[in-house]
Amino acid sequence: MRAFLSKYLRIDVTMLACMLVLVYMGVRLIQSAGGARTSAALNDLWTVHAWTAAIGFVVYAVLTVVDYRKLLDWCAGPVFAVACAMLVAVLAFGAVRYGGRRWLWFFQPSELAKLAVIVLLAHVYGRPTDEEVAPRRFGWRGGLCGLAIFGVPAALILAEPDLGTALVLVPTAFIMLLAARVWTKALVTILLTGLLVAGLMLGTVYVAERQSRPEDKARIYSRIPLKEHQLKRLRVFLFPDRDIHGDGYNLRQARISIGSGSWWGKGLGKGALKQLGYLPPAVSMNDFIFAVLAEELGFMGCLSLLLLYLGILLSGLRVAWRCQDDRGRLLAIGICTLVFSHVYVNIAMSIGLMPITGLPLPLVSAGRTFLVVIMAALGLLQSVAVHGGAEE
Amino acid sequence: MRVSAWFIVGLGCLFLFAFSVLGVTLYRLQTVKAGEFAEVETTQTTRRIGIPAQRGRILDRSGHVLADCRPSRCIVCNLEELQQRGNWSNTVNAVDAAVDALASALGLERAVTREQVARHVARASALPLTVWRDLDERTFARFAERADGFPGFELAVRAERRYPYGTLAAHVIGYTGRGRPGGDEPSVAQEAGAREAHFFEELEMKGRKGVEGFYNRYLAGFPGQRFQLVDARGFRPRKRAGKELADAAADDVAPADGLDLELTLDIDIQAELERQLADVTGAGVVLDPRDGAVLAMASAPTFDPNTCIPHLTPDVYASLTNAPAKRGQNRAISESYAPGSTFKPITALAALATGWLPDDEYDCVGVYQLGEWKLRCWDYYGHGPLNLRQALEQSCNTFFCNIGSAIGTNALIEAAHDFGLGSCTGIDIGGETPGVVPDETWKRTYYNEPWYPGDTCQMSIGQGMLLVTPLQMAVVAAALANGGTVVKPYLHKKSGAESGRRVPFSEDSIELVRQGMLDVVLHGTGKKIASGLAVTCAGKTGTAEIGKGEMRRKNTWVIAFAPFEKPTVAIAMVVERGESGGKTVAPRVNAVFSRIFGRKEGGQRL
């Protein structure tokens, strides 16, 4: 029993503290965002969020003391299989909300899939190897296997459709594969090609939008394989001031909210744009909660938020550094990259640095599945901190 | 180990770099450009709403109230309380249905159409919608009892214009209609430039016609403004959210109330003048010849400006504009007539200036012949030999035709211009017409005919193409009264008189003409002007024949001033389709003078 409790003495305290503060901020921001609404369900959403955080914290506490190596041995495969099965199920039976078939009741399998991919990749590429297996696991066969591990769920998620979640798997999986030095040359080539293609597409949209004649525009668009709503987002990203009452409305209102927050903000619950409904209530608690935070807590609030995330990320990487085992390192790197990608994409799209993709802000946005999943992931990270030092 | 520590360090650097990009961008947005965004935010979340200023009163010279404001009870609807989810039309339907329900509960007819409701919801939803105006006390009380059953509706008291004296001086005062109170001139709203679109105001009283129109900005004052927060759909936020956001109210600007307008009118003289014109079509102007103050100005037939409140209805508009009555027209300034013999003093002055001597005589034989063309004097047998003063007294046409022909057209035109004919007097109400002093070019343009010697002859006796307004003739009478100063008539007491312009005629000539005008009322055509008056007056009658054949009619004139030695009153009056100046108009002018100066002991009323 003493040995069991003493594990808690070895946890990373910075990471825990940062996480708790962020969860608290999330609860208060959802309370503030929901308070401006008339419906009672939205008014009380913050309590639901708080209870979910409590459940998440239990999961966190349990995972902290479980040795991640044993957990990976037992669960990596099954969890991945279950996640994929649920992704298939959601395509068949899921509830449609906000233009996507993403929910099994209150559960979003795509969020679980993010963690499942990390766990399986860490398990596959982090196990101790001997000279015989190594070339197979880290050569071209290993590379294809890695691509399949994140490619299958990504494809299923893309079919929902949920482009943002599918895309966020890409940097997470690639960073992990690169860290494990799997088929490095090919993966780097694929990555660079992908970036090139994305850049070309953006450039094409830019050129198309600068055409004065509609038929020229249509001809260029007919050559790029993007759907209308995706084109719309790229257009808003490239020309944010062009359609401020239509497609560009959300981004503009988010930017006004953020900008008008100034140094110290307007005070929690006093954000005029959110309260008066300029920042659409449908997004103010989820994808655009950062705009609410920036308006009400100002630049200082935003800076604090960034520092809190940085606290989690850097202590996560410190955990990886200290860990004496590849599985732990890969797990820590994967989880850090996942958190980082969400934070970066969410904030960058709110301030117009990236095209709008619906990604939640970890620990802060309302969204029950993702909250529990991210807390579970941080629990695994703590487990690496606790158990990763050396074999007991 | 496969996963190198350097990879982890590299990843940490990537995170740090990415976060500093976010931090720098946020710094730029939230501190460097914060003001810009705050401005945009204010623009989109606040509407500036006009607070009406109280409209000033209009007073006569001794303080009688000719126009003021009374309270008007209204029912208004606060749209945000009836706001519905979804499409705009849901809210419009809800308001529409609520108005119907309230209408049947109060037994009133609807005063706003569905279109007006829809327009208000779309454009001015931050303002309450006025559903009924000007309710009587009973309906008002009935609503007050039941208001709880109709959420969103509320009582409001607005101001409405009132003219206590009814038709008195209607043409001078004018009336108000609905408009932007600040006027269409650049106002508070435009000064704010880009934010103009966010400026709302109730349409308030806006002066139209008369001094209400001319002095609208003076009377209207400046509307104030208050700042109203609106939500994303343009409605006022409901109370719950409103409480936390109330601090925008700090920037309110109070309205600057309009000023009282004191006129030069004297309601006693005005009433008498109107009484004298009550049964005819015509106009009259009474001036103070010393400075041009308008003591009375009347046009007949007239109208009651109270019928034009709160705004002109098509019926009232028709009654104001339909010919022949044209009740709304101020004939004193916007109708022009041939002056007839009242022009002769000007002809006389022009002749004296060109070298005609006071004692030069001309033998009137009853007709003046110019080649084939003949002009008959009104005395068929002729007046015989007359000098200038006698000719004025007798108003001898052939005499004036003769001197007019002798001095030439240009001298006549110049003299007419010297007295201000042919151009507006510049009185401070709108709608003035300059009249016509014809010359060769003018006739060429409008008739495509050359100038004949007969035209000069006609002009010298105030007929033909010469056209003047009653106000211009009042100014002429005033100039003759005060010894040759053409005054600028004015109505606003505080604006004061502008120093007049002297006519270029010698004092002796003017005195001779004045003597002639004295003879007119003592022995000549204008005896009825002076009859029984307590003071001596002088004047000149005129009877202008116009039209041909069946349409032939006479417009009859008198210009006069009194007391003769030191005149304080000058008058011009015209009556359309009269018999003659001496018979039709002179008694009316006499009555006005009697009212002002009283009557001689034992003097008989006409």
Side-chain angles (χ1 to χ4, degrees):
Chain A
M1 189 63 194
R2 256 186 80 194
F4 176 74
L5 283 179
S6 72
K7 284 187 173 180
Y8 282 112
L9 295 176
R10 282 187 275 155
I11 63 164
D12 191 312
V13 180
T14 321
M15 212 154 67
L16 174 65
C18 289
M19 184 190 81
L20 289 177
V21 175
L22 282 168
V23 168
Y24 175 72
M25 280 173 90
V27 171
R28 290 302 302 270
L29 283 171
I30 289 165
Q31 185 182 14
S32 149
R37 305 291 299 148
T38 40
S39 108
L42 288 177
N43 282 340
D44 297 333
L45 192 71
W46 67 276
T47 53
V48 177
H49 186 74
W51 279 112
T52 313
I55 295 167
F57 193 72
V58 172
V59 175
Y60 178 85
V62 170
L63 287 177
T64 300
V65 289
V66 176
D67 189 339
Y68 65 93
R69 287 169 289 232
K70 285 173 192 154
L71 199 69
L72 257 53
D73 284 338
W74 300 330
C75 298
V79 165
F80 185 78
V82 167
C84 286
M86 285 175 103
L87 282 175
V88 174
V90 86
L91 284 178
F93 315 111
V96 177
R97 270 178 248 164
Y98 309 122
R101 192 177 286 279
R102 298 172 195 167
W103 277 265
L104 280 178
W105 296 287
F106 59 87
F107 190 77
Q108 274 183 283
S110 54
E111 308 292 11
L112 178 65
K114 291 173 188 169
L115 190 55
V117 167
I118 293 171
V119 168
L120 189 63
L121 285 174
H123 182 64
V124 169
Y125 298 102
R127 274 175 305 170
T129 52
D130 44 43
E131 294 299 314
E132 209 174 303
V133 200
R136 231 191 324 159
R137 195 187 288 172
F138 301 110
W140 63 272
R141 272 169 292 192
L144 288 182
C145 174
L147 288 180
I149 288 175
F150 90 87
V152 170
L156 289 170
I157 292 167
L158 206 54
E160 287 181 359
D162 186 352
L163 182 65
T165 307
L167 281 181
V168 86
L169 282 175
V170 176
T172 313
F174 267 76
I175 294 276
M176 286 180 78
L177 291 174
L178 288 176
R181 285 183 275 154
V182 181
W183 203 26
T184 311
K185 277 183 195 157
L187 284 184
V188 168
T189 314
I190 292 174
L191 204 59
L192 290 181
T193 315
L195 286 175
L196 197 66
V197 168
L200 278 175
M201 265 188 196
L202 204 59
T204 316
V205 172
Y206 184 79
V207 170
E209 284 300 310
R210 297 299 291 264
Q211 299 299 318
S212 48
R213 294 192 317 184
E215 58 266 31
D216 290 346
K217 209 188 264 191
R219 205 186 54 221
I220 297 176
Y221 277 140
S222 68
R223 293 186 189 161
I224 38 178
L226 287 178
K227 298 213 176 87
E228 181 51 35
H229 74 274
Q230 293 161 341
L231 282 176
K232 215 189 273 176
R233 289 177 173 188
L234 292 182
R235 266 200 295 264
V236 170
F237 171 65
L238 289 169
F239 305 99
D241 297 329
R242 196 179 265 186
D243 188 15
I244 56 174
H245 296 294
D247 299 337
Y249 180 82
N250 283 1
L251 177 63
R252 180 177 158 83
Q253 293 303 332
R255 277 168 62 95
I256 294 172
S257 297
I258 293 166
S260 66
S262 197
W263 278 99
W264 295 101
K266 299 168 187 169
L268 202 62
K270 290 182 184 158
L273 288 161
K274 177 204 69 194
Q275 286 203 24
L276 297 171
Y278 290 89
L279 196 60
V283 299
S284 66
M285 292 183 213
N286 300 310
D287 301 347
F288 278 103
I289 198 158
F290 179 75
V292 176
L293 174 121
E295 186 185 11
E296 301 192 343
L297 301 179
F299 179 60
M300 285 307 168
C302 295
L303 211 55
S304 313
L305 185 86
L306 288 181
L307 289 177
L308 287 167
Y309 281 122
L310 216 49
I312 291 181
L313 293 175
L314 294 184
S315 33
L317 290 179
R318 190 179 57 190
V319 167
W321 170 284
R322 285 185 181 159
C323 181
Q324 295 301 313
D325 146 62
D326 276 336
R327 273 193 282 183
R329 282 195 168 180
L330 281 178
L331 201 54
I333 287 174
I335 290 167
C336 286
T337 312
L338 183 73
V339 172
F340 166 79
S341 310
H342 277 91
V343 174
Y344 184 80
V345 170
N346 181 284
I347 296 179
M349 75 167 191
S350 297
I351 56 184
L353 283 181
M354 281 185 74
I356 291 175
T357 33
L359 279 186
L361 197 57
L363 301 171
V364 176
S365 285
R368 285 171 279 180
T369 321
F370 187 59
L371 180 61
V372 174
V373 164
I374 214 79
M375 287 180 93
L378 293 175
L380 281 177
L381 204 48
Q382 287 291 18
S383 171
V384 176
V386 171
H387 303 97
E391 292 287 344
E392 280 170 50
Chain B
M1 293 224 302
R2 277 198 81 81
V3 183
S4 78
W6 290 113
F7 190 89
I8 297 170
V9 171
L11 200 57
C13 293
L14 178 72
F15 290 176
L16 277 172
F17 172 74
F19 271 47
S20 43
V21 169
L22 293 182
V24 168
T25 312
L26 280 169
Y27 176 80
R28 229 165 54 85
L29 277 180
Q30 297 195 281
T31 63
V32 182
K33 292 172 102 182
E36 210 176 291
F37 282 111
E39 181 83 9
V40 175
E41 187 210 338
T42 318
T43 311
Q44 77 173 5
T45 57
T46 55
R47 299 286 181 275
R48 305 187 313 141
I49 294 177
I51 308 172
Q54 185 165 353
R55 194 175 177 85
R57 299 176 301 166
I58 300 176
L59 310 169
D60 90 329
R61 64 165 50 218
S62 41
H64 297 93
V65 178
L66 301 176
D68 64 357
C69 291
R70 64 179 169 78
S72 155
R73 302 175 195 86
C74 307
I75 296 180
V76 299
C77 174
N78 297 315
L79 296 172
E80 65 277 1
E81 296 187 37
L82 294 172
Q83 188 188 347
Q84 302 295 312
R85 290 175 161 276
N87 207 322
W88 290 105
S89 60
N90 296 350
T91 304
V92 177
N93 288 340
V95 174
D96 208 46
V99 171
D100 272 334
L102 188 57
S104 63
L106 297 180
L108 285 173
E109 282 205 23
R110 282 186 59 146
V112 286
T113 62
R114 198 191 143 81
E115 286 67 42
Q116 285 170 319
V117 171
R119 203 180 325 135
H120 198 89
V121 169
R123 297 206 191 139
S125 46
L127 272 189
L129 166 70
T130 307
V131 188
W132 278 282
R133 283 179 187 281
D134 227 357
L135 295 171
D136 62 64
E137 217 159 317
R138 279 185 51 201
T139 319
F140 202 58
R142 209 173 331 141
F143 172 73
E145 280 168 22
R146 299 185 195 178
D148 286 346
F150 295 94
F153 290 91
E154 176 175 87
L155 301 174
V157 177
R158 301 251 160 79
E160 206 65 88
R161 204 63 164 160
R162 167 171 64 181
Y163 301 98
Y165 286 91
T167 59
L168 189 82
H171 292 98
V172 175
I173 296 169
Y175 46 87
T176 61
R178 294 256 170 249
R180 299 188 68 154
D184 303 321
E185 306 89 7
S187 68
V188 188
Q190 269 109 41
E191 280 158 26
R195 289 169 68 172
E196 191 202 352
H198 296 272
F199 193 82
F200 290 106
E201 50 197 352
E202 277 281 332
L203 291 188
E204 287 292 330
M205 292 168 285
K206 165 158 183 180
R208 307 205 188 278
K209 303 287 167 71
V211 289
E212 288 271 34
F214 193 89
Y215 288 107
N216 184 50
R217 285 194 84 169
Y218 185 90
L219 288 162
F222 273 105
Q225 50 184 328
R226 77 192 155 76
F227 290 85
Q228 174 68 61
L229 274 178
V230 290
D231 64 20
R233 311 192 71 190
F235 291 100
R236 287 189 287 183
R238 307 213 187 173
K239 275 165 199 146
R240 207 164 62 94
K243 215 191 287 171
E244 292 156 9
L245 298 164
D247 35 17
D251 296 338
D252 285 3
V253 180
D257 284 342
L259 301 172
D260 284 351
L261 184 71
E262 230 179 315
L263 299 183
T264 55
L265 292 186
D266 178 317
I267 59 162
D268 290 330
I269 305 176
Q270 179 73 30
E272 185 61 39
L273 184 64
E274 287 183 17
R275 197 173 311 131
Q276 293 310 318
L277 288 167
D279 54 343
V280 293
T281 301
V285 178
V286 182
L287 294 181
D288 184 333
R290 292 167 295 186
D291 64 354
V294 179
L295 299 172
M297 177 188 282
S299 173
T302 186
F303 65 100
D304 183 350
N306 288 308
T307 59
C308 307
I309 303 300
H311 52 82
L312 280 182
T313 58
D315 287 350
V316 175
Y317 180 76
S319 82
L320 290 186
T321 51
N322 280 359
K326 289 189 185 168
R327 290 173 173 278
Q329 187 188 25
N330 186 357
R331 290 177 162 79
I333 59 168
S334 59
E335 184 69 284
S336 48
Y337 303 90
S341 304
T342 54
F343 185 74
K344 284 174 183 163
I346 299 176
T347 311
L349 284 170
L352 288 168
T354 334
W356 186 275
L357 297 176
D359 294 327
D360 286 351
E361 286 194 348
Y362 172 78
D363 190 1
C364 169
V365 294
V367 65
Y368 183 80
Q369 190 125 17
L370 258 176
E372 300 257 304
W373 187 83
K374 281 184 202 172
L375 178 108
R376 296 215 71 89
C377 190
W378 60 272
D379 187 339
Y380 188 81
Y381 301 103
H383 292 102
L386 297 167
N387 65 17
L388 186 72
R389 191 168 156 179
Q390 290 162 330
L392 271 175
E393 179 196 317
Q394 294 301 322
S395 197
C396 175
N397 284 347
T398 51
F399 180 95
F400 283 97
C401 257
N402 179 50
I403 58 172
S405 304
I407 62 175
T409 324
N410 289 341
L412 277 178
I413 291 171
E414 229 165 90
H417 284 156
D418 287 337
F419 275 92
L421 303 185
S423 51
C424 291
T425 62
I427 189 171
D428 42 359
I429 47 178
E432 202 181 356
T433 173
V436 176
V437 175
D439 59 20
E440 214 176 327
T441 339
W442 186 90
K443 196 180 175 191
R444 179 65 74 185
T445 311
Y446 287 90
Y447 287 86
N448 197 20
E449 275 180 24
W451 188 268
Y452 297 117
D455 293 326
T456 310
C457 184
Q458 289 277 28
M459 189 166 157
S460 62
I461 58 168
Q463 303 239 65
M465 295 163 287
L466 182 68
L467 292 173
V468 299
T469 65
L471 178 63
Q472 283 172 332
M473 286 320 284
V475 171
V476 170
L480 294 168
N482 64 27
T485 303
V486 176
V487 293
K488 179 181 168 189
Y490 69 97
L491 279 160
H492 178 19
K493 207 164 148 189
K494 282 211 190 99
S495 77
E498 282 178 26
S499 55
R501 173 172 51 81
R502 255 205 73 82
V503 290
F505 301 111
S506 71
E507 278 174 31
D508 290 346
S509 326
I510 290 170
E511 193 47 39
L512 181 76
V513 171
R514 278 166 55 90
Q515 293 293 340
M517 288 171 74
L518 181 61
D519 294 345
V520 169
V521 301
L522 293 180
H523 324 291
T525 52
K527 274 184 276 194
K528 286 183 179 174
I529 301 173
S531 139
L533 276 185
V535 295
T536 329
C537 68
K540 182 75 195 77
T541 61
T543 307
E545 298 191 20
I546 48 167
K548 293 217 167 77
E550 298 238 322
M551 294 292 292
R552 193 150 188 84
R553 59 196 189 276
K554 295 178 200 168
N555 288 337
T556 52
W557 281 90
V558 161
I559 61 171
F561 54 87
F564 181 73
E565 292 76 21
K566 279 186 128 218
T568 56
V569 170
I571 185 169
M573 190 189 281
V574 65
V575 171
E576 292 179 19
R577 294 167 191 272
E579 197 179 337
S580 77
K583 284 182 194 154
T584 316
V585 191
R588 301 174 199 267
V589 172
N590 179 267
V592 176
F593 277 161
S594 306
R595 177 81 187 193
I596 302 169
F597 299 108
R599 300 189 65 78
K600 244 190 302 207
E601 204 64 33
Q604 276 205 313
R605 272 210 175 270
L606 287 163

